Amino acid sequence: DVVMTQSPLSLPVTLGQPASISCRSSQSLVHSNGNTYLNWFQQRPGQSPRRLIFEVSKRDSGVPDRFSGSGSGTDFTLKISRVEAEDIGVYYCMQGTHWPPWTFGQGTKVEIK
Amino acid sequence: EVHLVESGGGLVQPGGSLRLSCAASGFTFSNYWMTWVRQAPGKGLEWVANIRHDGSEKYYVDSVKGRFTISRDNAKNSLYLQMNSLRAEDTAIYYCGRARGMEVWGKGTTVTVPS
């Protein structure tokens, strides 16, 4: 199984400042078809998760452009250019290249400093 | 608008059974893979199972193989998860999601199995 490792697990942030979350996979997530199936999800307190990013860097509809995804192979990053209060919550990466199983990272809790 | 609404959760004794349902609307259900993901209290997300749009392929996390069965009824726009031989470690919120990439999630239904 592919192990997804996020860091940090807790990220205190200052409103208006940038934030970055790392996600590493135990093997390359490049599929034989050339695509890389790495998604990012946001879970606000008390809510169900919401997908933000798919295939490393493609933003889902309605996702603010302050969120961006990047990376390749085994190293991926979610960046928030300027953190807003509504961005507080837990962020998860998930791989969908080597399945089953589909696997998530442990989650990174973003909170106000 | 796309909607997924889970139901069927509850309190069940160890060894018991539950059947979760997920009602889909706002999209052509029969065109999509569907997924179940769970979240134990205070924990992260765990993929549980998914099913191809025509039901011809089904996949499960090892911890539920032989106990859980995913199914769907495309005529009713519904996804199901039959859970048998439930254990305390199955206690979680169960979410259904559209597609293998979980592009849309429901609000979840809570399953509690006391230890």
Side-chain angles (χ1 to χ4, degrees):
Chain A
D1 298 356
V2 177
V3 177
M4 305 298 289
T5 303
Q6 291 183 226
S7 63
L9 299 184
S10 178
L11 182 58
V13 298
T14 301
L15 295 179
Q17 294 300 304
S20 180
I21 300 170
S22 171
C23 175
R24 291 185 172 176
S25 55
S26 60
Q27 56 184 281
S28 173
L29 298 186
V30 180
H31 193 274
S32 57
N33 65 12
N35 294 334
T36 300
Y37 297 102
L38 186 283
N39 298 341
W40 288 97
F41 298 89
Q42 174 195 60
Q43 188 174 30
R44 292 170 171 155
Q47 295 187 14
S48 54
R50 163 200 183 196
R51 196 177 73 175
L52 299 176
I53 302 284
F54 64 100
E55 292 181 27
V56 180
S57 60
K58 299 175 182 177
R59 267 192 307 274
D60 275 280
S61 175
V63 174
D65 61 7
R66 64 179 180 274
F67 290 94
S68 63
S70 63
S72 62
T74 61
D75 288 343
F76 304 93
T77 302
L78 176 70
K79 293 182 180 177
I80 310 174
S81 59
R82 294 173 305 279
V83 175
E84 298 190 6
E86 65 180 19
D87 301 335
I88 299 313
V90 182
Y91 291 78
Y92 298 90
C93 59
M94 185 198 84
Q95 71 84 22
T97 295
H98 303 290
W99 53 267
W102 284 254
T103 47
F104 290 90
Q106 319 96 300
T108 294
K109 186 174 185 178
V110 174
E111 51 196 357
I112 301 298
K113 190 181 294 184
Chain B
E1 187 179 355
V2 174
H3 275 298
L4 298 170
V5 180
E6 302 91 338
S7 61
L11 174 66
V12 60
Q13 293 302 308
S17 298
L18 275 178
R19 188 195 196 205
L20 306 184
S21 299
C22 172
S25 61
F27 65 101
T28 305
F29 181 74
S30 58
N31 287 351
Y32 288 86
W33 284 70
M34 295 295 293
T35 299
W36 286 101
V37 168
R38 66 184 178 184
Q39 185 170 35
K43 301 298 184 182
L45 303 172
E46 180 184 39
W47 169 79
V48 175
N50 56 22
I51 184 169
R52 185 182 162 97
H53 42 77
D54 59 2
S56 62
E57 295 179 43
K58 304 176 183 181
Y59 301 94
Y60 301 91
V61 68
D62 284 349
S63 59
V64 309
K65 282 180 183 175
R67 300 189 300 122
F68 290 12
T69 301
I70 189 171
S71 62
R72 64 191 297 159
D73 185 335
N74 286 344
K76 295 183 178 180
N77 292 336
S78 293
L79 175 72
Y80 306 102
L81 187 67
Q82 178 67 43
M83 304 187 298
N84 298 331
S85 302
L86 282 161
R87 307 167 179 167
E89 54 264 37
D90 297 318
T91 294
I93 300 173
Y94 285 73
Y95 298 100
C96 70
R98 188 176 80 172
R100 289 169 287 182
M102 294 295 287
E103 55 197 39
V104 180
W105 297 61
K107 295 189 182 303
T109 187
T110 299
V111 173
T112 303
V113 187
S115 54

